[in-house]
Amino acid sequence: IRKDVKKFLKWAFLVLLIITVFTAVNHHRIRSNTKETIENYIADNITFATVDGLKMSAYITGEGDHTIVLLRGYDDPCPTITLSPLADALATQNKVIILDYFGCGFSDSTKKERTAENYVYEIRTALQDLGAQGPYILAAHELSGLYAQLYAEMYPEEVEAIIGFDS
């Protein structure tokens, strides 16, 4: 019995070694392809606004009389990707802009305090840098509803409407 156990353990070790090597090689291949895919997506779809010397990424699509600004939900890691299908659907008759706030998506990180006032300042500055013409329809998900309301209070002439999703 002891001989059989040793033989089984040798084969089990060999199988685990093969699986480990295969997984490592496959992970490296997938990671390389993912990096290339992301770089291509950025080159083809992302525009950068400059806010206080930092780059904020934006997805811009469509033409029309209205400019809709889609503002991310709290746990959306990259709205310029996750919200792009919605933007494309809305873009048949509107200009649509999605912003990645600082610290998420393809935007730079910032050390600036994360207050509602700072978010509004960054959104407004990015829109101005992108040459977007208001008044805007601010379509805000979750916590961004607070930023949309504050934006409308601070710059009422720049806001056509606010649409809240779970705001």
Side-chain angles (χ1 to χ4, degrees), residues 69-74 79 83 99 101 116 119-120 123 138-151 162-167:
V69 181
L70 298 178
L71 302 174
R72 77 182 276 257
Y74 176 74
L83 296 177
L99 298 173
Y101 297 150
Y119 277 103
V120 170
I123 292 165
L138 301 176
H141 186 221
E142 296 176 340
L143 185 59
S144 288
L146 174 68
Y147 313 145
Q149 285 184 315
L150 185 58
Y151 194 116
I162 296 174
I163 301 169
F165 305 99
D166 269 346
S167 294

Coordinates of all heavy atoms in Angstrom, one line a residue, residues 69-74 79 83 99 101 116 119-120 123 138-151 162-167:
V69 N -24.5 64.7 -19.8 CA -23.3 64.4 -19.1 C -23.7 63.2 -18.1 O -24.5 63.4 -17.2 CB -22.7 65.6 -18.3 CG1 -21.4 65.1 -17.6 CG2 -22.5 66.7 -19.2
L70 N -23.1 62.0 -18.4 CA -23.4 60.9 -17.6 C -22.4 60.9 -16.4 O -21.2 60.8 -16.7 CB -23.3 59.6 -18.4 CG -24.3 59.4 -19.5 CD1 -24.0 58.1 -20.3 CD2 -25.7 59.4 -19.0
L71 N -22.9 60.9 -15.2 CA -22.0 60.9 -14.0 C -22.1 59.6 -13.3 O -23.2 59.1 -13.0 CB -22.4 62.1 -13.1 CG -22.4 63.5 -13.8 CD1 -22.9 64.5 -12.8 CD2 -20.9 63.8 -14.1
R72 N -21.0 59.0 -12.9 CA -20.9 57.7 -12.4 C -21.5 57.4 -11.1 O -21.7 58.3 -10.3 CB -19.4 57.3 -12.3 CG -18.7 57.9 -11.1 CD -17.2 57.6 -11.0 NE -17.0 56.3 -10.4 CZ -16.5 56.1 -9.2 NH1 -16.3 57.2 -8.4 NH2 -16.3 54.9 -8.7
G73 N -21.8 56.1 -10.9 CA -22.2 55.6 -9.6 C -21.0 55.4 -8.7 O -19.9 55.4 -9.2
Y74 N -21.3 55.3 -7.4 CA -20.2 55.2 -6.4 C -19.2 54.1 -6.7 O -18.0 54.3 -6.6 CB -20.8 55.0 -5.0 CG -19.8 54.9 -3.9 CD1 -19.0 55.9 -3.5 CD2 -19.5 53.6 -3.4 CE1 -18.1 55.8 -2.5 CE2 -18.6 53.4 -2.4 CZ -17.8 54.5 -2.0 OH -16.9 54.4 -1.0
P79 N -16.4 54.3 -15.7 CA -17.7 54.7 -16.4 C -17.5 54.9 -17.9 O -18.4 54.7 -18.6 CB -18.1 55.9 -15.7 CG -17.1 56.4 -14.8 CD -16.1 55.2 -14.6
L83 N -20.5 52.8 -19.0 CA -21.6 53.6 -19.5 C -21.6 53.9 -21.0 O -22.6 54.5 -21.5 CB -21.7 54.9 -18.7 CG -21.9 54.8 -17.2 CD1 -21.8 56.2 -16.5 CD2 -23.2 54.1 -16.9
L99 N -17.5 61.2 -17.9 CA -16.3 61.5 -17.3 C -15.9 60.4 -16.3 O -16.7 59.9 -15.5 CB -16.4 62.8 -16.5 CG -16.7 64.1 -17.4 CD1 -17.0 65.3 -16.4 CD2 -15.6 64.4 -18.3
Y101 N -14.1 60.3 -13.0 CA -13.6 61.2 -11.9 C -12.1 60.8 -11.7 O -11.6 59.7 -11.9 CB -14.4 61.0 -10.7 CG -15.8 61.4 -10.8 CD1 -16.8 60.8 -9.9 CD2 -16.3 62.4 -11.6 CE1 -18.1 61.2 -10.0 CE2 -17.6 62.8 -11.7 CZ -18.5 62.1 -10.9 OH -19.8 62.5 -10.9
A116 N -17.8 67.5 -2.3 CA -18.8 67.7 -3.4 C -18.4 68.9 -4.2 O -18.5 68.9 -5.4 CB -20.2 67.8 -2.8
Y119 N -15.7 68.0 -6.6 CA -16.2 67.2 -7.7 C -16.8 68.2 -8.7 O -16.6 68.0 -9.9 CB -17.1 66.1 -7.2 CG -16.5 64.9 -6.8 CD1 -16.4 64.6 -5.4 CD2 -16.0 64.0 -7.7 CE1 -15.8 63.4 -5.0 CE2 -15.4 62.8 -7.3 CZ -15.3 62.5 -5.9 OH -14.7 61.4 -5.5
V120 N -17.7 69.1 -8.2 CA -18.4 70.0 -9.1 C -17.3 70.8 -9.9 O -17.5 71.0 -11.1 CB -19.4 70.9 -8.4 CG1 -19.9 72.0 -9.2 CG2 -20.5 70.1 -7.8
I123 N -15.7 68.6 -12.6 CA -16.7 68.3 -13.7 C -16.8 69.5 -14.6 O -16.7 69.4 -15.8 CB -18.1 67.9 -13.1 CG1 -18.0 66.5 -12.4 CG2 -19.1 67.9 -14.2 CD1 -19.2 66.2 -11.5
L138 N -27.6 66.8 -16.8 CA -26.8 66.0 -15.9 C -27.5 64.7 -15.5 O -28.5 64.8 -14.8 CB -26.4 66.8 -14.6 CG -25.6 68.1 -14.9 CD1 -25.4 68.8 -13.6 CD2 -24.3 67.9 -15.6
A139 N -27.1 63.6 -16.0 CA -27.7 62.3 -15.7 C -26.8 61.6 -14.7 O -25.7 61.1 -15.0 CB -27.8 61.4 -16.9
A140 N -27.2 61.6 -13.4 CA -26.3 61.2 -12.3 C -26.8 59.9 -11.7 O -28.0 59.8 -11.4 CB -26.3 62.3 -11.3
H141 N -25.9 59.0 -11.4 CA -26.2 57.8 -10.7 C -25.7 57.9 -9.3 O -24.6 58.3 -9.0 CB -25.5 56.6 -11.5 CG -25.8 55.3 -11.0 ND1 -24.9 54.3 -10.8 CD2 -27.0 54.8 -10.6 CE1 -25.5 53.2 -10.4 NE2 -26.7 53.5 -10.2
E142 N -26.5 57.4 -8.4 CA -26.2 57.3 -6.9 C -25.6 58.7 -6.4 O -26.3 59.7 -6.5 CB -25.2 56.2 -6.7 CG -25.8 54.8 -7.0 CD -24.8 53.7 -6.9 OE1 -23.6 53.9 -6.9 OE2 -25.3 52.5 -6.7
L143 N -24.5 58.6 -5.8 CA -23.9 59.8 -5.1 C -23.6 61.0 -6.0 O -23.7 62.1 -5.6 CB -22.5 59.4 -4.4 CG -21.9 60.4 -3.6 CD1 -22.8 60.9 -2.4 CD2 -20.6 59.9 -3.0
S144 N -23.5 60.7 -7.3 CA -23.3 61.8 -8.3 C -24.5 62.7 -8.3 O -24.4 63.8 -8.8 CB -22.9 61.3 -9.6 OG -21.6 60.8 -9.6
G145 N -25.6 62.2 -7.9 CA -26.8 63.1 -7.8 C -26.6 64.3 -6.9 O -27.1 65.4 -7.2
L146 N -25.8 64.1 -5.9 CA -25.5 65.2 -5.0 C -24.6 66.3 -5.8 O -24.8 67.5 -5.7 CB -24.7 64.7 -3.8 CG -24.1 65.8 -2.9 CD1 -25.2 66.5 -2.1 CD2 -23.1 65.1 -1.9
Y147 N -23.7 65.8 -6.6 CA -22.8 66.7 -7.4 C -23.6 67.4 -8.4 O -23.4 68.6 -8.6 CB -21.7 65.9 -8.0 CG -20.9 65.0 -7.1 CD1 -20.4 63.8 -7.6 CD2 -20.7 65.3 -5.8 CE1 -19.7 62.9 -6.7 CE2 -20.1 64.4 -4.9 CZ -19.5 63.2 -5.4 OH -18.9 62.4 -4.6
A148 N -24.6 66.7 -9.0 CA -25.5 67.3 -10.0 C -26.3 68.4 -9.4 O -26.4 69.5 -10.0 CB -26.3 66.3 -10.7
Q149 N -26.9 68.1 -8.2 CA -27.7 69.2 -7.6 C -26.8 70.4 -7.2 O -27.3 71.5 -7.4 CB -28.4 68.6 -6.3 CG -29.5 67.7 -6.6 CD -30.2 67.2 -5.3 OE1 -29.6 66.8 -4.4 NE2 -31.5 67.3 -5.3
L150 N -25.7 70.1 -6.6 CA -24.8 71.2 -6.3 C -24.4 72.0 -7.5 O -24.3 73.3 -7.5 CB -23.6 70.7 -5.5 CG -22.6 71.8 -4.9 CD1 -23.4 72.7 -4.0 CD2 -21.5 71.1 -4.2
Y151 N -24.1 71.3 -8.6 CA -23.7 72.0 -9.8 C -24.8 72.9 -10.2 O -24.6 74.1 -10.6 CB -23.4 70.9 -10.9 CG -22.7 71.5 -12.1 CD1 -21.5 71.0 -12.5 CD2 -23.3 72.4 -13.0 CE1 -20.8 71.5 -13.6 CE2 -22.7 72.9 -14.1 CZ -21.5 72.4 -14.4 OH -20.8 72.9 -15.6
I162 N -31.7 67.8 -14.6 CA -31.0 66.7 -13.8 C -31.9 65.5 -13.9 O -33.1 65.5 -13.7 CB -30.8 67.1 -12.4 CG1 -29.9 68.3 -12.2 CG2 -30.2 65.9 -11.6 CD1 -29.7 68.8 -10.8
I163 N -31.2 64.4 -14.3 CA -31.9 63.1 -14.3 C -31.2 62.2 -13.2 O -30.0 62.0 -13.3 CB -31.9 62.4 -15.6 CG1 -32.5 63.2 -16.7 CG2 -32.5 61.0 -15.6 CD1 -32.3 62.8 -18.1
G164 N -31.9 61.7 -12.2 CA -31.2 61.0 -11.2 C -31.6 59.5 -11.3 O -32.7 59.1 -11.5
F165 N -30.6 58.7 -11.2 CA -30.7 57.2 -11.1 C -30.3 56.7 -9.8 O -29.1 56.8 -9.5 CB -29.9 56.5 -12.2 CG -30.1 57.0 -13.6 CD1 -29.3 58.0 -14.2 CD2 -31.2 56.6 -14.3 CE1 -29.5 58.4 -15.5 CE2 -31.5 57.0 -15.6 CZ -30.6 58.0 -16.2
D166 N -31.2 56.4 -8.9 CA -30.8 56.0 -7.5 C -30.1 57.1 -6.8 O -29.2 56.8 -6.0 CB -30.0 54.7 -7.5 CG -30.9 53.5 -7.4 OD1 -32.0 53.6 -7.1 OD2 -30.3 52.4 -7.6
S167 N -30.4 58.3 -7.1 CA -29.7 59.4 -6.5 C -30.2 59.7 -5.1 O -31.4 59.6 -4.8 CB -29.8 60.7 -7.4 OG -29.1 60.5 -8.6

